[in-house]
Structures are given as C-alpha cells and as structure tokens.
Amino acid sequence: MSGRTLRIHSSAIHYFDMVRRCRSIREAARRLNVASSAVNRQILKIEDEIGAPLFERLPGGLRLTMAGEILSRHANLVLQDLERVRLEFDALRGLKSGHVEIATAEGATVDLLPSVLKRMRDHYPQVTIGVTVQGSQSIPQALINSRADLGLAFAVPRAAEIRQLSVGHFRLGALVGPDHPLAERGSVNFATCAEHGLILAKSELSIHHLLAPLHKRLGLLDKPPLQSNSMELARQMARHNMGVAFQTRVGVEVDLQKGELLHIPLSDQGGIYSDLGLYARSGRDLPSAVEALAHLLSEEIALRERAERAFGQPVL
C-alpha cells in the first residue's frame, strides 16, 4: 500500500478533485488512467444527488460553480485527512529503510523540496535521500540512465522513456525589487521588461526555451546584461534592480514572503505557464521508499498549484 492512493472513500471524491484541478474531464481521466465516461458519470451522479451543477463549461475549461466550491472545501478536508491516515498505515506496516535519488530543478530546492523532505523524514526516518540539482532539460536523461529514481523538472517535453507521475501548472512572471519602476503593475509584457534590462536563463534551463520565442520576436541583437544557468544569481541581480529576471512563484517563495522580490505575471500570449512535473523512468516498478516520496511530492505540487490559483492567478 505504501505510496499508493488509498481508496477508502468513494471514487467520486477522487474524480471530482482531479477534474477540479485539471479543469477538464478528459485530462482528469488521463491522469487517473480511466475512461472519460467513467469520470463524467461520477460527476453527473454527484450533481444529481445535490441537485445542482458542479462546473460551468467555458471555452478555457471547466470552472467551479458555487455548489462546486462548497464540495471542493469538503473534498480538501476529506483528502487531507485520508493522506494522514495513509501515512499512519504506511508507518504501521513498517517502511523502515531504502534510498531515493532525486534529480531536481534549482527552483524546487528553495521551499518545495525542503518541505517535502521534512515530511518524509518525520514519517520515514530510516529512508536516505540523495539530491542532485541540475537543469530541467537534462533531468530526463538522468532518469533514463538510472542516475535518479525521481525527476522534478519544469517544462519537460513528453518522451516515451519517462512517465509523468504528477504535474502542476505555474505562471511565469517577471521578478523585480519592490522599488523597481514595474513594481506597481498587475501584469507586464516581455517587451516592456526588455526596456529595463533582461536577466535570462541559459539553454540548459527550461525558462530559456519558454522565453526564446518572445526574445526572437523582439529582434534583439545584443546579448542580455546577464545570462546564467543559476536562478539564484538571477534573483540576486533582480533584488538589486540590475535587470528583470523571470521565474514561476515556485522557487521565490521566501523572497515573496519577505517582500524582497515581486512576481509580476507575464501577459504575453494570455499568460505563459511552466509545468512542474514529477517523473520516473517508464516501465520501472518503483520501490516502496521511492513511491512514498513520490506521493508526498505529488501532494505538495498539487498544494502549491491550488495556492497559486487562490492567489488570483487562474491555472488553465
């Protein structure tokens, strides 16, 4: 049972929660590995029981109705408590040893991964963990070559050799100091950022590839003031108003809480999103320790995604 989803409660709760997170019945079915008709049937069953629709059908995806919001709060409580019970059952069954190697993007090491590793240590103190920080573009190869059990990476293209265990969608934004000329903006386009000097990522980082089309469209011939494979260096430069850096809110949590940096969503293309995914090698049966950590990471990614949505940045 370790690391697997506990199904004490009705499938309807799990299906509803996944549809709510994905804003799509088809995508929810894909992640749950069931037929779309099965997911739709469970949603219709709940709607019939409560006598009200749970979702509005919009061009950009599904959106919770008032009834859906009420059920969402209940589902959160149920699933959080179910996670606590699952971890207690795992401890009872004696997951006492094992080792997990993680290859992770730098942004996840600031707050997300430490939070998960603390929970892992609390529940499974005998499990040892190795962490290697590298660019998202190279993480799939680490999994394929068995140098890592799990990969935590942004914007990884689909590949047959790796499988996605979970994913969260996070909006890319400009990072500036609180006294920067752009600080009061609710959103900003890339061209405006370029007027204040760009701090860009090198090609081994996923952000480089997300922003490359915007950079090319501007026709900028000069190199940016700084181009680096270190997101920490980019953040430090942005703190000192030496240019505009770019990142998701994942990786700048501490700076945002302290008010040392602001995250201003990019408005180009209606918003640019970077998927933070958890990956493993295809066809591999994961050991119990790896499954346990994968489950905690998946829960934390979903939690951060919901927090971003609540912050007022809708996830499409």
Short mmCIF file of all heavy atoms in Angstrom, two decimals, residues 21 31 102 104 108 111-113 115-116 119 150-154 164-170 250 253 274-279 293-309 315:
data_model
loop_
_atom_site.label_atom_id
_atom_site.label_comp_id
_atom_site.label_asym_id
_atom_site.label_seq_id
_atom_site.Cartn_x
_atom_site.Cartn_y
_atom_site.Cartn_z
N ARG A 21 -8.92 20.11 -10.36
CA ARG A 21 -7.53 20.52 -10.54
C ARG A 21 -7.17 20.70 -12.02
O ARG A 21 -6.43 21.62 -12.38
CB ARG A 21 -6.60 19.51 -9.89
CG ARG A 21 -6.62 19.57 -8.37
CD ARG A 21 -6.03 18.31 -7.74
NE ARG A 21 -4.73 17.96 -8.28
CZ ARG A 21 -4.09 16.83 -8.03
NH1 ARG A 21 -4.64 15.92 -7.25
NH2 ARG A 21 -2.91 16.60 -8.54
N ARG A 31 -5.05 11.42 -16.31
CA ARG A 31 -4.21 11.31 -15.13
C ARG A 31 -4.65 10.18 -14.22
O ARG A 31 -3.82 9.54 -13.56
CB ARG A 31 -4.22 12.63 -14.35
CG ARG A 31 -3.60 13.80 -15.09
CD ARG A 31 -3.28 14.92 -14.13
NE ARG A 31 -3.14 16.21 -14.79
CZ ARG A 31 -2.85 17.34 -14.17
NH1 ARG A 31 -2.70 17.35 -12.87
NH2 ARG A 31 -2.76 18.47 -14.83
N ILE A 102 17.07 11.81 -6.19
CA ILE A 102 16.23 12.77 -6.90
C ILE A 102 17.11 13.69 -7.73
O ILE A 102 18.10 14.22 -7.23
CB ILE A 102 15.43 13.66 -5.92
CG1 ILE A 102 14.72 12.84 -4.87
CG2 ILE A 102 14.42 14.52 -6.69
CD1 ILE A 102 14.12 13.70 -3.77
N THR A 104 16.68 17.26 -9.50
CA THR A 104 15.70 18.33 -9.38
C THR A 104 16.17 19.64 -9.97
O THR A 104 17.37 19.95 -9.96
CB THR A 104 15.32 18.55 -7.89
OG1 THR A 104 14.35 19.60 -7.79
CG2 THR A 104 16.53 18.93 -7.07
N ALA A 108 12.95 24.20 -7.28
CA ALA A 108 12.23 23.35 -6.32
C ALA A 108 12.97 23.19 -5.01
O ALA A 108 12.39 22.75 -4.01
CB ALA A 108 11.96 21.98 -6.94
N ASP A 111 12.02 25.96 -1.43
CA ASP A 111 10.99 25.79 -0.41
C ASP A 111 10.20 24.50 -0.58
O ASP A 111 9.92 23.81 0.39
CB ASP A 111 10.04 26.99 -0.45
CG ASP A 111 9.08 27.01 0.73
OD1 ASP A 111 9.54 27.30 1.85
OD2 ASP A 111 7.89 26.74 0.53
N LEU A 112 9.85 24.17 -1.82
CA LEU A 112 9.00 23.00 -2.06
C LEU A 112 9.67 21.70 -1.60
O LEU A 112 9.10 20.95 -0.80
CB LEU A 112 8.63 22.93 -3.55
CG LEU A 112 7.60 21.89 -3.96
CD1 LEU A 112 6.86 22.35 -5.22
CD2 LEU A 112 8.21 20.51 -4.23
N LEU A 113 10.85 21.43 -2.11
CA LEU A 113 11.52 20.17 -1.78
C LEU A 113 11.89 20.07 -0.30
O LEU A 113 11.67 19.02 0.32
CB LEU A 113 12.75 19.98 -2.67
CG LEU A 113 13.45 18.62 -2.57
CD1 LEU A 113 12.49 17.47 -2.84
CD2 LEU A 113 14.63 18.56 -3.53
N SER A 115 10.29 21.26 2.21
CA SER A 115 9.05 20.96 2.92
C SER A 115 8.70 19.49 2.82
O SER A 115 8.31 18.86 3.81
CB SER A 115 7.90 21.80 2.35
OG SER A 115 8.13 23.18 2.53
N VAL A 116 8.87 18.93 1.63
CA VAL A 116 8.56 17.51 1.43
C VAL A 116 9.57 16.62 2.15
O VAL A 116 9.20 15.61 2.77
CB VAL A 116 8.53 17.18 -0.08
CG1 VAL A 116 8.42 15.67 -0.30
CG2 VAL A 116 7.37 17.90 -0.75
N ARG A 119 8.72 16.26 5.77
CA ARG A 119 7.63 15.31 5.99
C ARG A 119 8.12 13.87 5.82
O ARG A 119 7.73 12.98 6.57
CB ARG A 119 6.48 15.59 5.03
CG ARG A 119 5.74 16.90 5.29
CD ARG A 119 4.68 17.14 4.25
NE ARG A 119 3.65 16.11 4.29
CZ ARG A 119 2.80 15.86 3.29
NH1 ARG A 119 2.88 16.57 2.17
NH2 ARG A 119 1.88 14.92 3.41
N LEU A 150 13.74 9.62 -9.21
CA LEU A 150 12.69 10.59 -9.48
C LEU A 150 13.30 11.86 -10.07
O LEU A 150 14.42 12.23 -9.72
CB LEU A 150 11.94 10.95 -8.19
CG LEU A 150 11.18 9.83 -7.48
CD1 LEU A 150 10.66 10.32 -6.12
CD2 LEU A 150 10.02 9.32 -8.34
N GLY A 151 12.56 12.50 -10.94
CA GLY A 151 12.99 13.77 -11.51
C GLY A 151 11.93 14.83 -11.27
O GLY A 151 10.74 14.59 -11.48
N LEU A 152 12.37 15.98 -10.79
CA LEU A 152 11.47 17.11 -10.51
C LEU A 152 11.91 18.24 -11.43
O LEU A 152 12.96 18.85 -11.21
CB LEU A 152 11.58 17.51 -9.04
CG LEU A 152 10.50 18.37 -8.41
CD1 LEU A 152 9.12 17.76 -8.58
CD2 LEU A 152 10.80 18.59 -6.93
N ALA A 153 11.13 18.50 -12.50
CA ALA A 153 11.62 19.38 -13.56
C ALA A 153 10.50 20.22 -14.14
O ALA A 153 9.33 19.84 -14.12
CB ALA A 153 12.27 18.55 -14.66
N PHE A 154 10.89 21.39 -14.69
CA PHE A 154 9.95 22.29 -15.34
C PHE A 154 9.94 22.07 -16.85
O PHE A 154 10.99 21.88 -17.47
CB PHE A 154 10.35 23.75 -15.09
CG PHE A 154 10.08 24.23 -13.70
CD1 PHE A 154 11.09 24.21 -12.72
CD2 PHE A 154 8.84 24.70 -13.33
CE1 PHE A 154 10.85 24.68 -11.44
CE2 PHE A 154 8.59 25.16 -12.04
CZ PHE A 154 9.60 25.14 -11.09
N GLN A 164 5.20 10.61 -16.52
CA GLN A 164 4.86 11.72 -15.62
C GLN A 164 3.99 11.19 -14.49
O GLN A 164 2.92 10.65 -14.73
CB GLN A 164 4.14 12.80 -16.40
CG GLN A 164 3.92 14.09 -15.65
CD GLN A 164 3.18 15.10 -16.51
OE1 GLN A 164 1.97 15.03 -16.65
NE2 GLN A 164 3.92 16.03 -17.08
N LEU A 165 4.46 11.35 -13.26
CA LEU A 165 3.71 10.88 -12.10
C LEU A 165 2.71 11.92 -11.64
O LEU A 165 1.64 11.57 -11.12
CB LEU A 165 4.68 10.53 -10.96
CG LEU A 165 5.78 9.52 -11.29
CD1 LEU A 165 6.66 9.29 -10.06
CD2 LEU A 165 5.18 8.20 -11.77
N SER A 166 3.05 13.18 -11.77
CA SER A 166 2.14 14.27 -11.41
C SER A 166 2.67 15.56 -12.03
O SER A 166 3.82 15.62 -12.48
CB SER A 166 2.05 14.44 -9.88
OG SER A 166 3.31 14.75 -9.33
N VAL A 167 1.82 16.60 -12.06
CA VAL A 167 2.24 17.86 -12.66
C VAL A 167 1.41 19.00 -12.08
O VAL A 167 0.25 18.82 -11.70
CB VAL A 167 2.07 17.81 -14.21
CG1 VAL A 167 0.60 17.70 -14.59
CG2 VAL A 167 2.72 19.02 -14.86
N GLY A 168 2.04 20.16 -11.96
CA GLY A 168 1.35 21.38 -11.56
C GLY A 168 1.66 22.48 -12.57
O GLY A 168 2.75 22.51 -13.16
N HIS A 169 0.70 23.36 -12.80
CA HIS A 169 0.85 24.43 -13.80
C HIS A 169 1.08 25.76 -13.07
O HIS A 169 0.25 26.17 -12.26
CB HIS A 169 -0.40 24.51 -14.67
CG HIS A 169 -0.82 23.19 -15.22
ND1 HIS A 169 -0.15 22.55 -16.24
CD2 HIS A 169 -1.83 22.36 -14.87
CE1 HIS A 169 -0.73 21.40 -16.51
NE2 HIS A 169 -1.76 21.26 -15.69
N PHE A 170 2.19 26.41 -13.38
CA PHE A 170 2.57 27.64 -12.68
C PHE A 170 2.90 28.74 -13.69
O PHE A 170 3.60 28.49 -14.67
CB PHE A 170 3.76 27.38 -11.76
CG PHE A 170 3.47 26.33 -10.72
CD1 PHE A 170 3.79 25.00 -10.94
CD2 PHE A 170 2.84 26.67 -9.54
CE1 PHE A 170 3.51 24.03 -9.98
CE2 PHE A 170 2.54 25.72 -8.58
CZ PHE A 170 2.87 24.39 -8.80
N VAL A 250 7.22 29.28 -7.81
CA VAL A 250 7.96 28.18 -7.18
C VAL A 250 9.45 28.51 -7.25
O VAL A 250 10.02 28.64 -8.33
CB VAL A 250 7.68 26.84 -7.88
CG1 VAL A 250 8.55 25.74 -7.28
CG2 VAL A 250 6.20 26.48 -7.77
N GLU A 253 9.48 31.69 -3.10
CA GLU A 253 8.52 31.79 -2.00
C GLU A 253 9.04 32.66 -0.85
O GLU A 253 8.32 33.52 -0.33
CB GLU A 253 8.15 30.40 -1.47
CG GLU A 253 7.47 29.49 -2.48
CD GLU A 253 8.43 28.60 -3.24
OE1 GLU A 253 9.65 28.90 -3.26
OE2 GLU A 253 7.97 27.63 -3.83
N SER A 274 4.53 27.33 -16.96
CA SER A 274 5.59 26.32 -16.91
C SER A 274 5.10 25.18 -16.04
O SER A 274 4.71 25.38 -14.88
CB SER A 274 6.87 26.93 -16.34
OG SER A 274 7.91 25.97 -16.32
N ASP A 275 5.08 23.98 -16.58
CA ASP A 275 4.63 22.81 -15.83
C ASP A 275 5.76 22.27 -14.97
O ASP A 275 6.85 21.99 -15.48
CB ASP A 275 4.17 21.70 -16.78
CG ASP A 275 2.88 22.04 -17.48
OD1 ASP A 275 2.25 23.05 -17.09
OD2 ASP A 275 2.51 21.32 -18.42
N LEU A 276 5.51 22.14 -13.67
CA LEU A 276 6.46 21.46 -12.79
C LEU A 276 5.97 20.03 -12.65
O LEU A 276 4.91 19.76 -12.07
CB LEU A 276 6.51 22.13 -11.42
CG LEU A 276 7.39 21.41 -10.38
CD1 LEU A 276 8.84 21.34 -10.84
CD2 LEU A 276 7.29 22.10 -9.02
N GLY A 277 6.74 19.11 -13.21
CA GLY A 277 6.33 17.71 -13.22
C GLY A 277 7.25 16.82 -12.40
O GLY A 277 8.43 17.12 -12.21
N LEU A 278 6.68 15.73 -11.91
CA LEU A 278 7.44 14.68 -11.24
C LEU A 278 7.50 13.49 -12.18
O LEU A 278 6.46 13.03 -12.67
CB LEU A 278 6.77 14.30 -9.92
CG LEU A 278 7.45 13.20 -9.11
CD1 LEU A 278 8.82 13.67 -8.62
CD2 LEU A 278 6.58 12.79 -7.92
N TYR A 279 8.71 12.98 -12.42
CA TYR A 279 8.90 11.96 -13.44
C TYR A 279 9.68 10.76 -12.90
O TYR A 279 10.45 10.87 -11.94
CB TYR A 279 9.67 12.56 -14.63
CG TYR A 279 8.96 13.73 -15.27
CD1 TYR A 279 9.20 15.03 -14.83
CD2 TYR A 279 8.06 13.54 -16.31
CE1 TYR A 279 8.55 16.11 -15.40
CE2 TYR A 279 7.39 14.62 -16.88
CZ TYR A 279 7.64 15.90 -16.42
OH TYR A 279 6.99 16.96 -16.99
N LEU A 293 8.00 8.80 -1.32
CA LEU A 293 8.45 10.16 -1.58
C LEU A 293 7.70 10.76 -2.78
O LEU A 293 7.34 11.94 -2.76
CB LEU A 293 9.95 10.18 -1.82
CG LEU A 293 10.56 11.58 -2.07
CD1 LEU A 293 10.21 12.55 -0.94
CD2 LEU A 293 12.06 11.48 -2.25
N ALA A 294 7.47 9.95 -3.81
CA ALA A 294 6.73 10.43 -4.98
C ALA A 294 5.33 10.90 -4.59
O ALA A 294 4.84 11.92 -5.09
CB ALA A 294 6.65 9.34 -6.04
N HIS A 295 4.70 10.17 -3.68
CA HIS A 295 3.36 10.55 -3.25
C HIS A 295 3.39 11.89 -2.52
O HIS A 295 2.54 12.77 -2.76
CB HIS A 295 2.78 9.47 -2.34
CG HIS A 295 1.36 9.74 -1.93
ND1 HIS A 295 0.29 9.37 -2.70
CD2 HIS A 295 0.85 10.36 -0.84
CE1 HIS A 295 -0.83 9.76 -2.11
NE2 HIS A 295 -0.52 10.35 -0.98
N LEU A 296 4.34 12.09 -1.63
CA LEU A 296 4.44 13.34 -0.89
C LEU A 296 4.74 14.51 -1.83
O LEU A 296 4.20 15.61 -1.67
CB LEU A 296 5.51 13.25 0.19
CG LEU A 296 5.22 12.29 1.35
CD1 LEU A 296 6.39 12.30 2.34
CD2 LEU A 296 3.92 12.65 2.05
N LEU A 297 5.61 14.28 -2.81
CA LEU A 297 5.93 15.32 -3.78
C LEU A 297 4.71 15.70 -4.62
O LEU A 297 4.44 16.88 -4.87
CB LEU A 297 7.07 14.87 -4.70
CG LEU A 297 8.48 14.92 -4.10
CD1 LEU A 297 9.46 14.14 -4.97
CD2 LEU A 297 8.95 16.37 -3.95
N SER A 298 3.95 14.69 -5.03
CA SER A 298 2.75 14.94 -5.82
C SER A 298 1.73 15.75 -5.03
O SER A 298 1.10 16.68 -5.56
CB SER A 298 2.12 13.61 -6.27
OG SER A 298 3.00 12.90 -7.12
N GLU A 299 1.58 15.42 -3.76
CA GLU A 299 0.65 16.16 -2.90
C GLU A 299 1.09 17.62 -2.76
O GLU A 299 0.27 18.54 -2.80
CB GLU A 299 0.58 15.51 -1.52
CG GLU A 299 -0.15 14.18 -1.49
CD GLU A 299 -1.64 14.33 -1.72
OE1 GLU A 299 -2.21 15.36 -1.31
OE2 GLU A 299 -2.23 13.43 -2.34
N GLU A 300 2.40 17.84 -2.61
CA GLU A 300 2.91 19.20 -2.42
C GLU A 300 2.78 20.03 -3.70
O GLU A 300 2.44 21.22 -3.65
CB GLU A 300 4.37 19.16 -1.98
CG GLU A 300 4.94 20.49 -1.52
CD GLU A 300 4.30 21.02 -0.24
OE1 GLU A 300 3.75 20.21 0.53
OE2 GLU A 300 4.36 22.24 -0.03
N ILE A 301 3.02 19.41 -4.85
CA ILE A 301 2.86 20.13 -6.12
C ILE A 301 1.41 20.57 -6.28
O ILE A 301 1.12 21.70 -6.66
CB ILE A 301 3.30 19.23 -7.30
CG1 ILE A 301 4.82 19.05 -7.29
CG2 ILE A 301 2.85 19.85 -8.63
CD1 ILE A 301 5.32 18.01 -8.28
N ALA A 302 0.47 19.66 -5.97
CA ALA A 302 -0.95 20.00 -6.06
C ALA A 302 -1.31 21.11 -5.09
O ALA A 302 -2.10 22.01 -5.41
CB ALA A 302 -1.80 18.76 -5.79
N LEU A 303 -0.73 21.08 -3.90
CA LEU A 303 -0.99 22.11 -2.89
C LEU A 303 -0.51 23.47 -3.39
O LEU A 303 -1.21 24.49 -3.25
CB LEU A 303 -0.30 21.74 -1.58
CG LEU A 303 -0.45 22.72 -0.42
CD1 LEU A 303 -1.90 22.76 0.04
CD2 LEU A 303 0.46 22.32 0.74
N ARG A 304 0.70 23.52 -3.97
CA ARG A 304 1.25 24.79 -4.48
C ARG A 304 0.41 25.30 -5.66
O ARG A 304 0.23 26.51 -5.81
CB ARG A 304 2.70 24.61 -4.91
CG ARG A 304 3.65 24.10 -3.82
CD ARG A 304 3.83 25.13 -2.71
NE ARG A 304 4.56 24.58 -1.58
CZ ARG A 304 5.79 24.96 -1.24
NH1 ARG A 304 6.42 25.88 -1.92
NH2 ARG A 304 6.37 24.41 -0.18
N GLU A 305 -0.06 24.39 -6.48
CA GLU A 305 -0.88 24.80 -7.62
C GLU A 305 -2.19 25.43 -7.13
O GLU A 305 -2.62 26.46 -7.64
CB GLU A 305 -1.19 23.59 -8.50
CG GLU A 305 -1.96 23.92 -9.76
CD GLU A 305 -2.29 22.68 -10.57
OE1 GLU A 305 -2.83 21.71 -9.98
OE2 GLU A 305 -2.04 22.67 -11.78
N ARG A 306 -2.81 24.82 -6.12
CA ARG A 306 -4.05 25.38 -5.56
C ARG A 306 -3.78 26.74 -4.91
O ARG A 306 -4.59 27.66 -5.01
CB ARG A 306 -4.66 24.42 -4.53
CG ARG A 306 -5.28 23.19 -5.14
CD ARG A 306 -6.20 22.49 -4.17
NE ARG A 306 -5.50 21.97 -3.01
CZ ARG A 306 -4.98 20.74 -2.94
NH1 ARG A 306 -5.08 19.93 -3.97
NH2 ARG A 306 -4.38 20.33 -1.84
N ALA A 307 -2.62 26.87 -4.25
CA ALA A 307 -2.28 28.14 -3.60
C ALA A 307 -2.11 29.24 -4.64
O ALA A 307 -2.53 30.39 -4.42
CB ALA A 307 -1.00 27.98 -2.77
N GLU A 308 -1.49 28.92 -5.78
CA GLU A 308 -1.32 29.93 -6.82
C GLU A 308 -2.67 30.34 -7.38
O GLU A 308 -2.92 31.52 -7.63
CB GLU A 308 -0.44 29.39 -7.95
CG GLU A 308 -0.36 30.35 -9.12
CD GLU A 308 0.89 30.13 -9.98
OE1 GLU A 308 1.98 30.01 -9.44
OE2 GLU A 308 0.73 30.11 -11.21
N ARG A 309 -3.57 29.37 -7.56
CA ARG A 309 -4.90 29.67 -8.07
C ARG A 309 -5.65 30.57 -7.08
O ARG A 309 -6.32 31.52 -7.48
CB ARG A 309 -5.67 28.38 -8.29
CG ARG A 309 -6.95 28.52 -9.10
CD ARG A 309 -7.37 27.20 -9.68
NE ARG A 309 -7.38 26.15 -8.68
CZ ARG A 309 -6.91 24.93 -8.88
NH1 ARG A 309 -6.37 24.61 -10.02
NH2 ARG A 309 -6.98 24.03 -7.92
N VAL A 315 -5.19 28.90 -13.18
CA VAL A 315 -4.39 27.92 -13.89
C VAL A 315 -5.24 27.33 -15.00
O VAL A 315 -6.33 26.85 -14.76
CB VAL A 315 -3.94 26.80 -12.93
CG1 VAL A 315 -3.17 25.74 -13.69
CG2 VAL A 315 -3.07 27.39 -11.81
#
